[in-house]
Amino acid sequence: PLSGQYADIGKSMFDAAQLAVYELRTSNLKIEAVDVGSNRESAVQALESFDVSKVDIILGPIFSEQVPVVYD
């Protein structure tokens, strides 16, 4: 989540991913953050507007109720 009460967790994950890409010293990776919120419904809404077919790696979600939404 990049908003709401758990935004600090999402920001930490995003910062860590950015640091990892920086450490790799490559321009072949692009990081995009999508705010999936902290419940199933917010994940559904976020992913409806995102083209997951163009994504190679997904980091998260961190909440178990969102896993089926992201990986189905």
Side-chain angles (χ1 to χ4, degrees), residues 5-62:
Q5 73 183 57
Y6 300 108
D8 56 332
I9 298 170
K11 174 139 178 34
S12 293
M13 288 178 66
F14 183 67
D15 290 347
Q18 286 184 308
L19 180 60
V21 170
Y22 174 78
E23 291 290 323
L24 289 172
R25 303 192 194 305
T26 182
S27 60
N28 296 334
L29 297 174
K30 179 183 173 189
I31 297 176
E32 279 192 51
V34 176
D35 186 4
V36 295
S38 58
N39 59 48
R40 186 181 198 294
E41 293 77 28
S42 60
V44 169
Q45 289 176 346
L47 292 177
E48 284 177 348
S49 63
F50 189 73
D51 186 359
V52 295
S53 69
K54 297 180 180 179
V55 175
D56 292 320
I57 299 171
I58 295 176
L59 301 177
I62 61 170

